[in-house]
Amino acid sequence: TQLLEQSPQFLSIQEGENLTVYCNSSSVFSSLQWYRQEPGEGPVLLVTVVTGGEVKKLKRLTFQFGDARKDSSLHITAAQPGDTGLYLCAVFMNTGFQKLVFGTGTRLLVSP
Amino acid sequence: SQTIHQWPATLVQPVGSPLSLECTVEGTSNPNLYWYRQAAGRGLQLLFYSVGIGQISSEVPQNLSASRPQDRQFILSSKKLLLSDSGFYLCAWSVAEGYEQYFGPGTRLTVT
């Protein structure tokens, strides 16, 4: 069983469309991170959300942490081909060490 | 500024052959170092982490081992590769546990 389930698994849209991807869990977290990974490269941190209900904006990307801190969403407005990539949510789990655990990922393809 | 290097970028190895992947970090001292494996288009799985020279912790028992011979050098090895070892291997560093992790460009390993 995955700690973090992301949906949808794959999303193919046209340039200019809006989209939302989700990261869900039954566990409560103190914070949650979103990464974007382009093909053949390592993930790059986009944002960390900490407070329940928090909303953070990064240009056309809007991140929200659920009120109960169990889930998060990423909304992209007017998607561009440069947004193409794998979007991963991640949380730190204390297993005697602060281990970074990643979600299952959403692969986004934005076509011109 | 800090940079992280991985090599080789791509590797094709036969089953039963040895493996050595190298990761080096520049511009920081005594970083935490991590090895992850990523299945095709999916989330990352932590394999090993190190908080200092010669200190290695294994997260997943398997056919691989890790070593940290120098402060900013992290090596992933295997004596005999299995088909199931194929994947995208990522190295990462952080200033301490629970802090943002910075990923290298990855090594694509194909075991044939």
Side-chain angles (χ1 to χ4, degrees):
Chain A
T1 304
Q2 287 283 348
L3 177 66
L4 298 171
E5 292 284 351
Q6 292 187 242
S7 61
Q9 291 185 21
F10 181 73
L11 192 55
S12 181
I13 61 172
Q14 296 295 121
E15 182 175 3
E17 292 185 32
N18 301 331
L19 67 117
T20 301
V21 300
Y22 301 92
C23 175
N24 295 298
S25 178
S26 58
S27 300
V28 178
F29 305 110
S30 58
S31 65
L32 185 144
Q33 300 180 337
W34 282 95
Y35 287 79
R36 178 169 65 210
Q37 183 179 19
E38 298 188 14
E41 298 183 9
V44 176
L45 180 65
L46 297 174
V47 76
T48 301
V49 286
V50 178
T51 307
E54 180 179 6
V55 176
K56 281 191 174 180
K57 292 191 174 183
L58 185 64
K59 297 184 180 178
R60 294 175 292 100
L61 279 60
T62 301
F63 305 84
Q64 184 162 10
F65 202 12
D67 291 340
R69 292 183 286 122
K70 293 182 177 182
D71 51 72
S72 181
S73 64
L74 159 59
H75 181 80
I76 301 179
T77 303
Q80 299 177 1
D83 296 325
T84 293
L86 180 67
Y87 288 82
L88 296 160
C89 61
V91 295
F92 281 107
M93 294 295 297
N94 193 346
T95 59
F97 178 83
Q98 290 288 338
K99 174 181 172 180
L100 190 60
V101 177
F102 285 84
T104 51
T106 292
R107 182 164 295 283
L108 173 64
L109 175 62
V110 183
S111 301
Chain B
S1 63
Q2 301 86 8
T3 54
I4 179 169
H5 304 280
Q6 286 187 247
W7 65 90
T10 305
L11 191 60
V12 180
Q13 293 282 98
V15 168
S17 65
L19 173 74
S20 181
L21 303 181
E22 189 164 344
C23 170
T24 58
V25 180
E26 296 177 355
T28 186
S29 296
N30 196 33
N32 279 13
L33 296 172
Y34 312 86
W35 277 112
Y36 289 87
R37 179 168 57 202
Q38 184 176 30
R42 308 303 287 169
L44 283 68
Q45 179 187 38
L46 180 65
L47 302 176
F48 301 93
Y49 66 89
S50 171
V51 299
I53 296 174
Q55 302 178 60
I56 309 294
S57 296
S58 173
E59 283 293 303
V60 182
Q62 57 199 321
N63 187 41
L64 302 170
S65 62
S67 62
R68 184 170 177 174
Q70 300 180 41
D71 181 43
R72 289 169 287 178
Q73 184 185 29
F74 206 21
I75 297 172
L76 183 68
S77 304
S78 174
K79 293 182 179 179
K80 290 185 177 182
L81 284 168
L82 306 172
L83 286 174
S84 58
D85 291 324
S86 293
F88 192 48
Y89 288 84
L90 289 153
C91 181
W93 74 274
S94 68
V95 295
E97 67 175 276
Y99 283 74
E100 179 179 355
Q101 294 185 16
Y102 302 89
F103 288 82
T107 295
R108 174 78 56 195
L109 171 66
T110 302
V111 182
T112 60

